Amino acid sequence: MKGKICGTGAYVPGNRMDNHQIAAFVETSDEWIKERTGVEARRIASGEETTVSMACAAGRRAIDDAGISVGEIDLIIVSTTSSNLILPCTACEVQRELGAEQATCFDLSAACTGFLLAYNTALAYINCGVYHTALLIGSECLSNLMDWKDRGTCILFGDGAGAVVLKGTEGEMYLPSTRSEGAKGAALTCKSRHDWSNLHDESGAAAMQDPDHRIGMDGQAVFRFALKRVPEVIGEVLQENQLRKEDITLYILHQANKRIVEAVAKRLEEPIEKFPMNMQEYGNTSSASIPILLDELNRSGRLHEGDKLVLAGFGAGLTWGAAVVEW
Ligand code: ACO
């Protein structure tokens, strides 16, 4: 058995914050951010928007696009590092909201590689015949975890959610290639899992002021890691599945930084046109970035039956990996 993506969906908050707005509260500029990252704006959750609400909206759109009934879904995996609750998990909250009563639900936490690992996990289950129809969601409300005084990180990230429906069909599955290197975890850290602003006791207040409880990053270390590991793992996944670069229609990379995507294209000696990007508009939405981009491509008619896509994620952990998807 193999898994086939038969529907996509996405949701991003309407609240758009451009680089000029960020430059009003940290010392930076639109030119600096655009030149170093490619990001021009990001969406920030407001009002009732949460990791769960965005996940549900993206999930509903993917289910509609797939043309299946909610009752067919027997697995929901939500990839997130920014759930609004620790318990219950976001996937169970999504199940409740969607009424997907037949589904087994759990969250997966692997930062920007999370969606790719959710895809691989569902694929393995489908391949073994354990589950048949999976709803996979990447949903992040990173604005809750941001140190808004740190210009090195707050310029990068955004909120949003993307989803796919993966259904079992006859055929051979492509094997994924994934890696982790916990020894290098210090390059990208965050100790907080929820919004400390609700805590009024002393420990909560102290945590609020402690930048360790917000996203912290050694930007150059992450940059070097991505440049080395992403082309490497893409090469591995192609070799593993006996595919050539010419067989690949598009490379859908985690949308961390335009310079990273351009450098990966160069190292692979592939034209930049095969690397669609949307971080200009949404920033880095961590595990939501790959499914948001997939949904954009799907809805704009850029994906055709039989196209072979490479999905590649990389991020905190450190973790990275690639998978081949046949559309
Ligand atoms: N505006 C203006 N100046 C800035 C800003 C800013 N927003 N941020 C940092 N600077 C300054 C620094 O203070 C430093 O000044 P100094 O020389 O006076 O000390 C100077 O710019 C250079 O700082 P660096 O950190 O060396 O800047 P760099 O060129 O590495 O760019 C960046 C920083 C954009 C974060 C880069 O390292 C990068 O893109 N790294 C990749 C990390 C990434 O994409 N992470 C995403 C999350 S992880 C993931 O999704 C995988």
Side-chain angles (χ1 to χ4, degrees):
M1 288 293 278
K2 65 176 184 179
K4 191 164 173 60
I5 295 178
C6 57
T8 65
Y11 177 88
V12 291
N15 177 27
R16 184 177 186 272
M17 184 190 281
D18 68 21
N19 292 343
H20 298 286
Q21 287 168 281
I22 291 213
F25 57 84
V26 288
E27 205 183 325
T28 189
S29 66
D30 178 47
E31 296 73 43
W32 196 96
I33 302 172
K34 271 200 301 221
E35 189 193 312
R36 303 287 176 116
T37 70
V39 176
E40 294 171 22
R42 68 286 295 143
R43 305 301 175 96
I44 303 295
S46 62
E48 303 289 298
E49 287 167 330
T50 64
T51 302
V52 170
S53 76
M54 294 189 290
C56 289
R60 282 196 185 96
R61 289 173 186 172
I63 292 166
D64 282 351
D65 188 45
I68 61 163
S69 73
V70 172
E72 286 176 63
I73 296 169
D74 52 11
L75 175 67
I76 300 177
I77 307 178
V78 176
S79 165
T80 185
T81 44
S82 49
S83 57
N84 29 324
L85 297 176
I86 292 175
L87 299 171
C89 68
T90 303
C92 282
E93 297 277 284
V94 170
Q95 174 191 36
R96 189 194 62 217
E97 294 299 315
L98 266 47
E101 287 167 17
Q102 303 307 315
T104 293
C105 307
F106 60 90
D107 287 3
L108 190 153
S109 167
C112 311
T113 318
F115 183 80
L116 187 93
L117 292 174
Y119 174 80
N120 290 344
T121 304
L123 205 58
Y125 275 131
I126 286 171
N127 185 250
C128 300
V130 178
Y131 303 114
H132 304 95
T133 306
L135 176 63
L136 311 175
I137 304 175
S139 184
E140 303 283 5
C141 198
L142 298 169
S143 56
N144 282 341
L145 304 179
M146 222 91 85
D147 178 354
W148 286 101
K149 292 187 185 130
D150 176 14
R151 66 179 182 173
T153 52
C154 75
I155 57 159
L156 298 171
F157 298 98
D159 299 335
V164 305
V165 172
L166 189 68
K167 238 174 131 54
T169 62
E170 289 304 320
E172 284 287 303
M173 69 175 242
Y174 289 113
L175 291 174
S177 186
T178 55
R179 298 272 187 278
S180 304
E181 194 175 14
K184 298 237 172 101
L188 192 43
T189 58
C190 180
K191 286 187 187 164
S192 171
R193 264 183 65 83
H194 59 237
D195 188 358
W196 288 93
S197 57
N198 290 332
L199 293 183
H200 299 295
D201 65 12
E202 272 182 26
S203 64
M208 249 317 249
Q209 282 151 21
D210 178 356
D212 277 356
H213 283 268
R214 301 285 161 179
I215 290 176
M217 181 181 70
D218 177 345
Q220 293 196 358
V222 174
F223 199 86
R224 284 194 302 274
F225 146 72
L227 257 49
K228 177 169 163 32
R229 297 304 194 180
V230 179
E232 197 175 87
V233 82
I234 291 176
E236 282 169 17
V237 86
L238 294 181
Q239 194 179 19
E240 180 84 60
N241 294 292
Q242 293 169 2
L243 292 167
R244 300 161 306 148
K245 287 185 294 185
E246 302 77 70
D247 299 321
I248 303 305
T249 315
L250 293 174
Y251 296 88
I252 302 181
L253 267 50
H254 164 50
Q255 300 290 291
N257 183 310
K258 187 174 177 220
R259 286 191 299 147
I260 292 177
V261 177
E262 287 171 346
V264 170
K266 203 167 166 194
R267 289 206 179 177
L268 289 171
E269 298 179 343
E270 281 281 72
I272 193 66
E273 292 71 29
K274 287 173 84 171
F275 293 76
M277 290 183 244
N278 67 1
M279 84 282 284
Q280 304 87 314
E281 188 54 30
Y282 304 127
N284 176 347
T285 56
S286 190
S287 68
S289 82
I290 291 176
I292 291 175
L293 182 55
L294 253 185
D295 183 58
E296 266 188 17
L297 295 167
N298 181 26
R299 286 173 196 263
S300 62
R302 279 193 67 187
L303 304 178
H304 305 99
E305 180 95 29
D307 280 356
K308 290 186 185 63
L309 317 174
V310 168
L311 312 186
F314 50 98
L318 296 172
T319 55
W320 65 101
V324 177
V325 167
E326 187 166 327
W327 199 251

